[in-house]
Amino acid sequence: MNVLSLFNGMSGGMMALEKLGVTVSEYYSSEIDKYANQATQAMFPDTIQLGSVTDWREWDIDWASIDLVTGGFPCQAWSMAGKQLGDKDERGMLFWVMLDIMKHVKHYNPNANFLIENVKMKKEFEEYITTHTENALGHVHKILINSALVSAQNRNRYYWTSFKIEQPEEIKTNMVDFIDFSFVGKEISEGKKQRVMGCKFGVGKYLTRNAEKCGTIIALYGKQPSDAWYVLRDNGSVTMLTPRECMRLQTVPEHHIDTLLNVGISNTQLYKMTGNGWTVDVISHILKGI
């Protein structure tokens, strides 16, 4: 299989294909974040880096050879957590660039498949994206999947594909499979701890061994409130989730986590790319449909 990954991030699509045992001959990545590119090259050194999607007409690609195009286009313009400007936002316009690229691939290879991802959004936006994707690429299968089915993280995302997919079977998870409660790290300030511990148990801003699921890991980790950011450790301290724990909640394979933690990327950037990334096990489930 030859794959073109738009907005590649930390290569969640490649991880998913690897989990499925799919042989990828050529993996093309379009990504402008230098740290995400550094992460990709550390895990998958044969990746062909293309740069920005806006320069796609200059890419040296045999378009007819592409079998799969993936695109998790930027969510900020579409998310209910943002200003909801859609394609009136400069970042929202990248949706159209993505469709142009996919349509170009389909022109040269009508059998090429596509996978598109974005956040849970208001119905008006979801219908807008679905309609224009169908107009550009033909029949579309759309599904809303919560990562909580395969992980301990609540993460609702829409997926649009050229092939049929079903909901993944729920895997019973335990928080200790993802969180190291015995970890001893830097505790948050006493003032912040009091605010965090004052939240309602199970829905507040800290996780315990008895918690069922955490909130969504997002790119702004540590910069605004989130119920997924703090852990009540066994020694009574309250600390932030570690980068390893965040990546585990995104079901990144452990050997790739080891690589990423030792490649010289700061925790800040690891948190960011993890929050921007895909839940690998959800993507591998979806790609089984090809």
Side-chain angles (χ1 to χ4, degrees), residues 106-251:
K106 295 281 283 184
H107 172 76
Y108 286 97
N109 179 10
N111 295 318
N113 285 297
F114 61 84
L115 162 62
I116 298 170
E117 177 267 358
N118 212 285
V119 296
K120 185 178 180 181
M121 58 189 70
K122 64 182 182 180
K123 188 172 181 60
E124 175 189 339
F125 280 167
E126 174 266 302
E127 291 177 343
Y128 183 84
I129 289 169
T130 302
T131 298
H132 287 289
T133 301
E134 286 186 328
N135 289 342
L137 304 175
H139 184 63
V140 172
H141 298 270
K142 180 199 69 188
I143 193 169
L144 180 68
I145 298 178
N146 189 345
S147 296
L149 292 171
V150 298
S151 171
Q153 176 193 187
N154 278 302
R155 189 184 190 88
N156 276 300
R157 292 292 184 270
Y158 275 113
Y159 302 91
W160 296 264
T161 62
S162 55
F163 47 91
K164 188 176 181 181
I165 50 177
E166 306 286 348
Q167 289 288 336
E169 291 187 17
E170 184 174 7
I171 299 172
K172 297 297 182 182
T173 58
N174 190 310
M175 195 60 70
V176 296
D177 296 331
F178 302 87
I179 308 299
D180 178 9
F181 287 95
S182 64
F183 173 76
V184 178
K186 181 180 178 181
E187 185 166 19
I188 61 176
S189 68
E190 187 62 30
K192 180 177 283 188
K193 180 179 178 180
Q194 292 302 317
R195 292 195 298 274
V196 168
M197 299 294 285
C199 295
K200 183 179 178 182
F201 174 78
V203 248
K205 297 183 178 67
Y206 71 102
L207 302 171
T208 70
R209 285 181 175 271
N210 297 322
E212 292 186 6
K213 304 289 180 180
C214 78
T216 303
I217 302 299
I218 64 174
L220 293 175
Y221 188 94
K223 294 183 179 179
Q224 63 186 38
S226 169
D227 59 354
W229 288 351
Y230 308 104
V231 181
L232 177 61
R233 308 289 177 176
D234 290 341
N235 66 354
S237 66
V238 177
T239 71
M240 293 174 63
L241 284 167
T242 66
R244 181 180 295 274
E245 290 167 337
C246 288
M247 285 187 269
R248 282 176 175 170
L249 288 164
Q250 286 284 55
T251 62

Side-chain angles (χ1 to χ4, degrees), residues 5 29 36 39-40 42 50 57 67 96 104-105 121 131 138 151 159 173 182 222 257 265-267 275 284:
S5 175
S29 164
T40 288
L50 300 172
R57 295 186 186 277
D67 303 297
W96 292 103
H104 192 71
V105 171
M121 58 189 70
T131 298
S151 171
Y159 302 91
T173 58
S182 64
I257 297 177
I265 301 174
S266 70
N267 284 354
S284 62

Side-chain angles (χ1 to χ4, degrees), residues 1-8 13 17 26-30 50 53 56 59 61-73 97-117 133 137 160-163 278 283 286-287 290:
M1 178 182 287
N2 292 328
V3 180
L4 171 57
S5 175
L6 310 176
F7 317 104
N8 182 65
L17 289 165
E26 301 284 2
Y27 187 82
Y28 297 95
S29 164
S30 176
L50 300 172
V53 293
W56 71 272
W59 293 347
I61 291 180
D62 176 7
W63 295 98
S65 73
I66 301 298
D67 303 297
L68 171 67
V69 190
T70 62
F73 61 103
V97 177
M98 178 190 68
L99 284 190
D100 283 344
I101 296 170
M102 291 182 170
K103 186 161 61 173
H104 192 71
V105 171
K106 295 281 283 184
H107 172 76
Y108 286 97
N109 179 10
N111 295 318
N113 285 297
F114 61 84
L115 162 62
I116 298 170
E117 177 267 358
T133 301
L137 304 175
W160 296 264
T161 62
S162 55
F163 47 91
W278 285 348
I283 304 302
I286 291 172
L287 292 178
I290 301 179

Side-chain angles (χ1 to χ4, degrees), residues 3-15 27-44 47-56 59 61 69-76 91 94 97-98 101 117 219 265 269 272-278:
V3 180
L4 171 57
S5 175
L6 310 176
F7 317 104
N8 182 65
M10 61 190 293
S11 292
M14 185 63 185
M15 292 185 218
Y27 187 82
Y28 297 95
S29 164
S30 176
E31 176 58 60
I32 61 172
D33 186 295
K34 67 177 183 179
Y35 301 104
N37 287 335
Q38 183 182 347
T40 288
Q41 295 305 136
M43 294 182 289
F44 306 108
T47 299
I48 301 168
Q49 296 285 354
L50 300 172
S52 173
V53 293
T54 57
D55 298 326
W56 71 272
W59 293 347
I61 291 180
V69 190
T70 62
F73 61 103
C75 67
Q76 295 91 339
R91 295 165 297 184
L94 293 174
V97 177
M98 178 190 68
I101 296 170
E117 177 267 358
I265 301 174
Q269 294 300 328
K272 178 182 176 182
M273 70 179 70
T274 303
N276 279 331
W278 285 348

